[in-house]
């Protein structure tokens, strides 16, 4: 490979550090503000769910900021730069995810009056299932937080940014405002960081577009470079990104992140009403679309700028993660302070993600232990577990635990195999990148041609099961968990619907058989949905139901089940 001369790109200067430091100062100040304001309200409910008095606006901002992390800020533009703008199809996945979350999962969680989503699992099954799910969630969140940090710090090595200082600052500031202000501080800090994130994207878009001849020229360059071939309807599940892998696989992946994730539900149940919680989710959808479109267009602008001299192919940078920071330092080299804004933009995603994780971990630890592939591999089985509980009244705790183990095993089997045996290049080939206009180094060194090597042997599953698109890991885990759970439940004796608090089950059959009362009752599997007026307010309906039915239903607190008393006796 020929040697190229890397153009001089300036590093961080004093003004950049000042702008970046301002982000941390404002974030810490919000924590102090709520610590002082709420000093007389020190209950766990106030700290963990904001006293259930939050409104939809800040919650919507917080949800967007928490899940549009630095991986989105740095990774999505790089993805579009290398593979094209098909990533924009995730707007369909986001839409389906928000609809399922707000209409299927949220009503059950909100009306149950729970603080932790895993508290639902104890109400529906037992403590064993709850503990198993909690441990998996903690592992998933810690791994995701570590990955986000590593991704950001690797990406910003090209800026000359002090990485160890940023690691310490991020940890200290997040812990500071989470500990002092609780969920309210996290939510309002996320709202501020969302504004910073969008401002950083807008600054890059305006500057990059103006330097590359305007919007029309950027669009033409993207078209000529095949970056606008968005709709690929190939049904091959081994292809990395097609319409189907993004819409179907992406929906399962993000539903595991949104629908049953503690960070999301904790924010939603902090709203003062179920209506506010649903509205927050739908407003958050607008935020997700906004950030997605900004990130995709940043990738197209970056391609227009480097279409004739790709810094990655020319070895000016060591990893694709560094493309966006390198681009920012390049176009803003004459504008001190603006690179600091973009770094603040990326770190806003990091801070909000870490803060959400800390606060959510505090909740599940307090509740359960003191009393885009990792997410797929862990989130899919978790999605299947909650789906079992909410949609299938017949599911018992043995089926739930067996289904969770089966889903985890299947998802990790596929995910680990894909890591050891990557998919063939034909399934995920980056689009063409050029170094035509890069400056060659003055060197008389002869080019060495590597001797051809034999391809390593691959097992039979390497080009099939292990080559599945990473977006299908969540679907595998979810479907595997649900099917296995239902089968085990029927083999070991399904749960009796009349023993389950109606508030813990979502009668989805009502949507499809609204015309037949008799058919709906039959599909309720004995759950007495019409015997209890379910309130839309979080008043611990499930707990109240169980307390009022323990004597007449023969409830066994040790086994979290009911003795075999006839239905007539119960009634």
């Amino acid at each position: 490979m020929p040697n190229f001369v890397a153009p001089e790109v300036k590093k961080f200067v004093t003004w950049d550090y000042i702008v970046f430091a301002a982000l941390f100062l404002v974030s810490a100040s919000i924590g102090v503000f709520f610590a002082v304001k709420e000093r007389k309200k020190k209950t766990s409910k106030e700290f963990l769910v904001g006293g259930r008095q939050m409104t939809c606006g800040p919650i919507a901002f917080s949800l967007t900021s928490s899940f549009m992390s630095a991986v989105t800020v740095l990774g999505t533009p790089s993805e579009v730069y290398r593979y094209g703008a098909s990533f924009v199809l995730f707007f369909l996945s986001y839409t389906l995810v928000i609809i399922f979350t707000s209409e299927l999962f949220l009503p059950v969680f909100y009306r149950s009056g729970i603080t932790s989503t895993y508290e639902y699992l104890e109400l529906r099954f037992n403590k064993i299932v709850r503990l198993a799910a909690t441990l998996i969630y903690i592992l998933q969140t810690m791994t995701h937080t570590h990955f986000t940090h590593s991704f950001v710090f690797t990406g910003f090595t090209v800026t000359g940014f002090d990485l160890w200082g940023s690691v310490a600052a991020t940890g200290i500031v997040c812990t500071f405002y989470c500990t002092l202000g609780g969920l309210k501080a996290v939510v309002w800090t996320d709202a501020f960081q969302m504004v910073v994130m969008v401002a950083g994207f807008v600054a890059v878009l305006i500057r990059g577009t103006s330097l590359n001849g305007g919007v029309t020229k950027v669009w033409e360059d993207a078209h000529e470079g095949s970056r606008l071939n968005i709709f690929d309807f190939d049904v091959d599940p081994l292809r990395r990104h097609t319409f189907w892998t993004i819409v179907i696989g992406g929906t399962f992946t993000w539903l595991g992140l949104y629908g049953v994730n503690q960070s999301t539900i904790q924010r939603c149940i902090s709203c003062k009403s179920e209506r506010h919680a649903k509205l927050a989710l739908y407003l958050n959808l607008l935020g997700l679309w906004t950030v997605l479109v900004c990130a995709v267009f940043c990738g197209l602008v970056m391609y227009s700028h480097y279409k004739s001299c790709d810094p990655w192919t020319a070895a000016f940078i060591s990893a694709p993660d560094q493309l966006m920071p390198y681009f920012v330092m390049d176009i803003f080299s004459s504008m001190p302070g603006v690179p600091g804004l973009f770094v603040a933009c990326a770190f806003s995603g990091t801070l909000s993600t870490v803060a959400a994780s800390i606060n959510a971990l505090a909740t599940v630890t307090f509740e359960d232990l003191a009393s885009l592939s990792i997410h797929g591999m862990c989130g899919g089985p978790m999605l299947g577990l909650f789906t079992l509980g909410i949609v299938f009244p017949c599911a018992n705790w043995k089926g739930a635990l067996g289904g969770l183990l089966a889903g985890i095993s299947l998802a990790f089997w596929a995910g680990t195999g894909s890591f050891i045996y990557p998919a063939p290049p034909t399934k995920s080939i980056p689009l063409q990148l050029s170094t035509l206009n890069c400056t060659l180094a003055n060197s008389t060194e002869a080019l060495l041609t590597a001797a051809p090597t034999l391809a390593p042997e691959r097992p039979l599953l390497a080009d099939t099961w292990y080559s599945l698109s990473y977006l299908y890991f969540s679907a595998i885990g979810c479907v595997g968990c649900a099917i296995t759970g239902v089968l085990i439940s029927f083999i070991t004796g399904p749960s009796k619907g009349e023993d389950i608090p109606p508030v813990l089950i979502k009668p989805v059959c009502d949507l499809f058989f609204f015309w037949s009362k008799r058919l709906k009752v039959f599909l309720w599997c004995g759950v007495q949905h019409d015997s209890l007026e379910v309130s839309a307010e979080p008043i611990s309906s499930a707990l109240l139901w169980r307390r009022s039915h323990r004597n007449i239903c023969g409830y066994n607190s040790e086994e979290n089940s009911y003795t075999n008393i006839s239905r007539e006796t119960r009634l």
Side-chain angles (χ1 to χ4, degrees):
M1 178 179 176
N3 293 322
F4 297 101
V5 177
E8 183 180 356
V9 176
K10 293 186 177 181
K11 306 295 184 182
F12 252 45
V13 296
T14 303
W15 279 108
D16 297 315
Y17 282 107
I18 292 174
V19 172
F20 178 74
L23 168 72
F24 286 92
L25 181 61
V26 174
S27 298
S29 300
I30 293 174
V32 173
F33 171 78
F34 280 101
V36 174
K37 181 182 177 183
E38 310 290 334
R39 62 185 181 278
K40 295 182 180 179
K41 304 175 182 178
K42 296 184 179 180
T43 65
S44 61
K45 179 180 178 181
E46 184 69 29
F47 184 83
L48 297 174
V49 292
R52 298 188 190 272
Q53 291 300 315
M54 302 297 294
T55 56
C56 60
I59 294 296
F61 274 106
S62 179
L63 287 171
T64 303
S65 181
S66 296
F67 290 95
M68 292 288 102
S69 67
V71 176
T72 304
V73 177
L74 302 183
T76 302
S78 174
E79 168 76 24
V80 173
Y81 175 86
R82 297 168 61 212
Y83 292 95
S86 61
F87 205 86
V88 78
L89 290 174
F90 271 97
F91 88 92
L92 293 173
S93 303
Y94 295 162
T95 304
L96 293 173
V97 165
I98 296 303
I99 292 173
F100 278 113
T101 301
S102 60
E103 304 302 330
L104 176 60
F105 296 106
L106 176 63
V108 173
F109 292 137
Y110 194 92
R111 297 172 190 180
S112 300
I114 58 177
T115 302
S116 159
T117 52
Y118 304 99
E119 187 179 347
Y120 167 86
L121 295 176
E122 182 178 352
L123 292 173
R124 177 63 177 86
F125 299 114
N126 61 17
K127 287 186 178 180
I128 298 175
V129 177
R130 175 180 182 173
L131 181 60
T134 299
L135 293 175
I136 292 172
Y137 171 75
I138 292 175
L139 175 64
Q140 175 191 8
T141 304
M142 291 175 65
T143 306
H144 173 62
T145 304
H146 170 74
F147 174 74
T148 301
H149 269 84
S150 302
F151 189 87
V152 173
F153 301 142
T154 300
F156 281 115
T157 54
V158 298
T159 67
F161 191 58
D162 186 351
L163 298 184
W164 287 110
S166 65
V167 171
T170 301
I172 292 171
V173 171
C174 286
T175 304
F176 181 77
Y177 70 74
C178 287
T179 304
L180 284 182
L183 183 70
K184 286 187 177 180
V186 172
V187 166
W188 283 103
T189 304
D190 285 350
F192 162 70
Q193 290 162 2
M194 175 64 187
V195 174
V196 174
M197 191 183 301
V198 173
F201 270 134
V202 171
V204 172
L205 285 172
I206 293 175
R207 178 66 173 170
T209 302
S210 63
L211 289 177
N212 290 283
V215 175
T216 303
K217 184 63 169 61
V218 169
W219 195 261
E220 289 176 354
D221 290 340
H223 179 71
E224 292 174 2
S226 301
R227 262 63 186 176
L228 298 181
N229 297 334
I230 296 173
F231 296 98
D232 180 357
F233 292 99
D234 189 349
V235 295
D236 184 359
L238 309 186
R239 292 280 305 280
R240 185 170 182 273
H241 280 170
T242 66
F243 178 88
W244 305 112
T245 56
I246 291 176
V247 174
I248 298 176
T251 297
F252 274 96
T253 300
W254 278 88
L255 199 55
L257 275 172
Y258 258 75
V260 298
N261 186 278
Q262 171 64 21
S263 297
T264 301
I265 300 303
Q266 184 180 0
R267 283 161 170 73
C268 291
I269 63 178
S270 71
C271 289
K272 59 174 142 183
S273 68
E274 185 180 328
R275 179 175 172 273
H276 269 269
K278 286 187 176 183
L279 190 56
L281 281 169
Y282 284 111
L283 289 175
N284 154 68
L285 179 59
L286 298 178
L288 294 178
W289 286 345
T290 300
V291 174
L292 177 64
V293 169
C294 286
V296 168
F297 271 93
C298 277
L300 296 179
V301 171
M302 188 161 58
Y303 173 75
S304 179
H305 191 77
Y306 292 125
K307 63 181 183 296
S308 299
C309 183
D310 170 43
W312 183 39
T313 306
F316 301 158
I317 57 176
S318 59
D321 309 342
Q322 299 174 343
L323 278 167
M324 193 64 177
Y326 183 88
F327 176 57
V328 169
M329 298 304 296
D330 188 2
I331 65 176
F332 289 117
S333 58
S334 61
M335 303 173 67
V338 182
L341 174 64
F342 176 76
V343 174
C345 162
F347 267 82
S348 290
T350 301
L351 281 173
S352 58
T353 300
V354 173
S357 301
I358 290 174
N359 200 255
L361 282 173
T363 302
V364 299
T365 303
F366 179 86
E367 289 292 333
D368 298 297
L369 302 178
S371 60
L372 239 220
S373 56
I374 279 292
H375 278 309
M377 289 186 283
C378 293
M382 297 292 281
L383 175 63
L385 177 62
F386 282 99
T387 302
L388 264 179
I390 292 174
V391 178
F392 298 97
C394 62
N396 60 26
W397 74 269
K398 296 175 184 176
L401 195 59
L404 179 62
L405 294 176
I408 286 285
S409 300
L410 286 171
F412 270 85
W413 179 23
T416 305
S418 70
F419 178 78
I420 299 174
Y421 301 102
T426 54
K427 302 300 180 182
S428 58
I429 302 177
L431 297 174
Q432 185 176 1
L433 297 167
S434 173
T435 56
L436 182 63
N437 290 342
C438 293
T439 304
L440 279 169
N442 293 325
S443 175
T444 57
E445 182 181 349
L447 298 179
L448 299 178
T449 303
T453 57
L454 295 176
E457 292 186 7
R458 292 165 62 87
L460 181 63
L461 293 177
D463 295 327
T464 52
W465 177 250
Y466 297 155
S467 294
L468 284 171
S469 170
Y470 72 98
L471 290 174
Y472 282 130
F473 294 163
S474 183
I476 291 170
C478 177
V479 175
C481 175
I483 293 177
T484 305
V486 170
L487 290 176
I488 292 177
S489 295
F490 273 107
I491 292 173
T492 59
S495 294
K496 296 181 179 180
E498 56 265 28
D499 295 342
I500 303 173
V503 74
L504 299 181
I505 303 292
K506 182 69 174 179
V508 294
C509 58
D510 291 3
L511 181 65
F512 303 100
F513 302 101
F514 60 90
W515 44 270
S516 175
K517 174 70 173 179
R518 179 176 298 179
L519 190 55
K520 286 195 297 183
V521 171
F522 172 76
L523 293 175
W524 288 348
C525 300
V527 179
Q528 301 169 37
H529 289 292
D530 55 356
S531 67
L532 179 66
E533 189 68 28
V534 180
S535 171
E537 297 301 319
I539 57 172
S540 299
S541 304
L543 291 174
L544 292 176
W545 191 93
R546 277 210 164 132
R547 287 170 185 165
S548 65
H549 284 66
R550 287 190 181 196
N551 293 331
I552 63 173
C553 295
Y555 182 78
N556 186 325
S557 60
E558 293 183 357
E559 297 183 2
N560 196 37
S561 62
Y562 294 83
T563 55
N564 188 19
I565 301 177
S566 68
R567 183 174 181 182
E568 290 76 11
T569 304
R570 292 190 189 110
L571 296 177

